[in-house]
Amino acid sequence: MGDKARVVVERFMRGLIRRNPGESEFHQAVRGVAESITPHIVADDRYRKAQIAERLTEPDRIIIFRVCWEDDRGNVRANRAWRVQFNNSIGPYKGGLRFHPEVNLSVLKFLAFEQVFKNSLTGLPLGGAKGGANFNPKGKSESEIMRFCHSLMVEMYRHIGDDVDVPAGDVGVGPREISYMFGQYKRLANRFEGVLTGKGLSHGGSLVHTESSGYGVVYFTQNMLERIGESVEGKTCSVSGAGNVAIYAIEKLNQLGAKAVTISDTTGFVHDPGGIDEEKLAYLKELKGVRRGLISEYVERFDGATFHDDRRPWDVPVEIALPCATHNEIDGDDARTLLVNGVMAVAEGSNMSCTPSAVRQFLDRRILYAPGKAANAGGVAASGLEQSQNAQRLAWSREEVDSRLRTIMRRIHAQCVDRGRRDEEFVDYVAGANLAAFEKVADAMLAYGAV
Ligand code: 2IT
């Protein structure tokens, strides 16, 4: 970045921080994008005159509401819920709902902001949004989850619709929660429409939706490796997290002949040098997806695996690292360790998995590093495909959805290469993703005038 652009970024960030005090995750996400796009805004009078950067960082609206529900003991409980409708320039708002005790406005604004760019990269007509509640699903009974989901939808239904805003799942929200919310929406609106994605297969859900984020991360990694004449096959990989993204990333790694050696949850990580094969993965799907147990149980079941209490898996030597847990899960020290151990590719299954210091080191060392908005766009892409199927009242086969997902990931990779190529060998996937995503959204905003 030139001196002029740097001064502009710093001035812009001072204003953004003043307008959004204390929202450190949102500041971090905006800075990441601002550093990529500012040189282009400075060089293009149209963007500057239209105040595109200011408008792109101000959400269209934020809805905040109380969710009251009754627990199994008959106590009334109150939670806070949000929907951040960030930008609908290129399609109806689209993005997940997160149920987690640490959800707050800063986290949801960062996620909604990232979603605008991610959704643009998919090439589908999807605006950007995110929502959720500071509700902790852990330890709640099935009927408590149902009552919470139903109550949340009593308020949210008036703000969403298949042409308005289409929420999906995220951390703490899977097909079970989506179906409870869809049932309540259908009752209140008296409409059976594609208003939520990630639904069960009996009521408008799409095949491959559950697998899509995890498969997509591996497809993207495969694309990056193939560009440099390498392949996923035979590589040792660390994966963090134990949700759908992590589980299905491991499944796809296995299918492509790679070996995943780690998995983690909030209590620590498991290292299995023998590799998490199909049988072990089936066990994990049951442990985490059905029983909702702790990862440490894995080592009692499988010989040779070790549990590392309260630690992340980044000091295990690997060629590929796929962070699939949560934001800022790879910090500067982790990045240094991964690099010392010879990592060649890092692709973000979670959103903003890497701190700015980690990102800087990966780019300086010119490894293959893919930001979440490119690497994990497979999830929302499959959501877009579910919307298309719902609109046509059709259900595509597994092969059809998977092949479209593969094509979308390949096109996202191609856009990143096109806009992020630095020289013969090196592609800056951060700049590439940000620029390609920005241009599409910004051009639509320019076309609309001052709205
Ligand atoms: O972070 C994400 O991209 C998601 N949670 C999926 C969003 C969606 O609307 O499918």
Side-chain angles (χ1 to χ4, degrees), residues 94-97 111 115 118-119 130 166-170 197 209 213 351 376-377 379-381 383:
K94 183 88 198 83
L97 293 170
L111 289 164
Q115 199 81 44
K118 185 195 303 195
N119 294 3
K130 200 85 184 190
V166 182
D170 194 79
T197 58
H209 187 278
S213 298
N351 295 303
N376 73 37
V380 76
S383 281

Side-chain angles (χ1 to χ4, degrees), residues 282-345:
Y283 166 82
L284 279 170
K285 284 180 190 171
E286 204 268 328
L287 173 69
K288 297 307 284 188
V290 183
R291 266 194 301 128
R292 295 169 202 264
L294 296 177
I295 206 87
S296 49
E297 288 184 37
Y298 181 103
V299 301
E300 289 156 26
R301 175 79 181 261
F302 300 110
D303 285 346
T306 48
F307 176 66
H308 304 261
D309 196 15
D310 206 20
R311 284 184 43 212
R312 297 182 293 209
W314 311 126
D315 57 3
V316 175
V318 291
E319 288 140 317
I320 298 172
L322 304 179
C324 300
T326 192
H327 54 278
N328 290 333
E329 56 173 310
I330 295 185
D331 64 19
D333 290 338
D334 299 324
R336 209 162 299 124
T337 308
L338 282 164
L339 287 166
V340 166
N341 287 334
V343 75
M344 58 193 293

Side-chain angles (χ1 to χ4, degrees), residues 131-325:
N134 62 356
F135 170 79
N136 189 355
K138 276 201 189 119
K140 300 289 189 297
S141 71
E142 183 80 24
S143 42
E144 287 175 329
I145 301 271
M146 180 189 74
R147 286 197 293 277
F148 181 79
C149 291
H150 283 172
S151 181
L152 181 137
M153 190 51 82
V154 169
E155 174 60 32
M156 196 164 68
Y157 92 98
R158 71 187 85 245
H159 305 290
I160 62 177
D162 62 354
D163 285 326
V164 181
D165 183 357
V166 182
D170 194 79
V171 175
V173 179
R176 173 179 67 168
E177 290 75 18
I178 291 292
S179 296
Y180 286 142
M181 288 189 272
F182 182 65
Q184 184 74 314
Y185 177 86
K186 187 175 65 59
R187 178 159 69 155
L188 292 165
N190 194 26
R191 291 175 67 87
F192 193 110
E193 59 180 11
V195 66
L196 290 159
T197 58
K199 301 183 289 294
L201 293 177
S202 63
H203 44 279
S206 172
L207 288 163
V208 198
H209 187 278
T210 309
E211 298 91 331
S212 58
S213 298
Y215 281 11
V217 175
V218 178
Y219 292 152
F220 196 93
T221 307
Q222 192 182 24
N223 290 326
M224 291 200 294
L225 285 162
E226 280 171 2
R227 185 182 60 77
I228 62 163
E230 277 279 357
S231 116
V232 168
E233 196 181 344
K235 299 288 188 293
T236 302
C237 316
S238 52
V239 176
S240 64
N244 275 339
V245 187
I247 296 276
Y248 291 99
I250 295 175
E251 181 163 289
K252 187 52 73 178
L253 286 171
N254 286 339
Q255 287 171 8
L256 296 178
K259 185 164 81 168
V261 294
T262 69
I263 185 145
S264 73
D265 65 12
T266 50
T267 63
F269 82 93
V270 165
H271 182 203
D272 186 347
I276 302 168
D277 61 19
E278 219 177 305
E279 181 204 338
K280 295 168 179 171
L281 198 60
Y283 166 82
L284 279 170
K285 284 180 190 171
E286 204 268 328
L287 173 69
K288 297 307 284 188
V290 183
R291 266 194 301 128
R292 295 169 202 264
L294 296 177
I295 206 87
S296 49
E297 288 184 37
Y298 181 103
V299 301
E300 289 156 26
R301 175 79 181 261
F302 300 110
D303 285 346
T306 48
F307 176 66
H308 304 261
D309 196 15
D310 206 20
R311 284 184 43 212
R312 297 182 293 209
W314 311 126
D315 57 3
V316 175
V318 291
E319 288 140 317
I320 298 172
L322 304 179
C324 300

Side-chain angles (χ1 to χ4, degrees), residues 28-99:
Q28 183 185 337
V30 171
R31 179 180 280 278
V33 171
E35 289 180 350
S36 298
I37 66 173
T38 301
H40 296 260
I41 292 180
V42 169
D44 192 329
D45 241 18
R46 295 173 312 150
Y47 292 145
R48 210 158 34 83
K49 279 204 186 116
Q51 294 272 295
I52 287 292
E54 286 73 11
R55 288 161 61 194
L56 254 179
T57 49
E58 195 63 41
D60 289 351
R61 71 185 64 75
I62 301 173
I63 300 139
I64 309 181
F65 54 101
R66 183 182 66 233
V67 180
C68 270
W69 55 284
E70 219 175 85
D71 68 22
D72 288 344
R73 294 188 307 276
N75 300 318
V76 174
R77 309 278 287 261
N79 284 95
R80 186 179 297 170
W82 297 261
R83 185 69 180 165
V84 181
Q85 297 179 333
F86 217 108
N87 189 302
N88 68 351
S89 296
I90 62 168
Y93 301 109
K94 183 88 198 83
L97 293 170
R98 177 174 292 194
F99 293 171

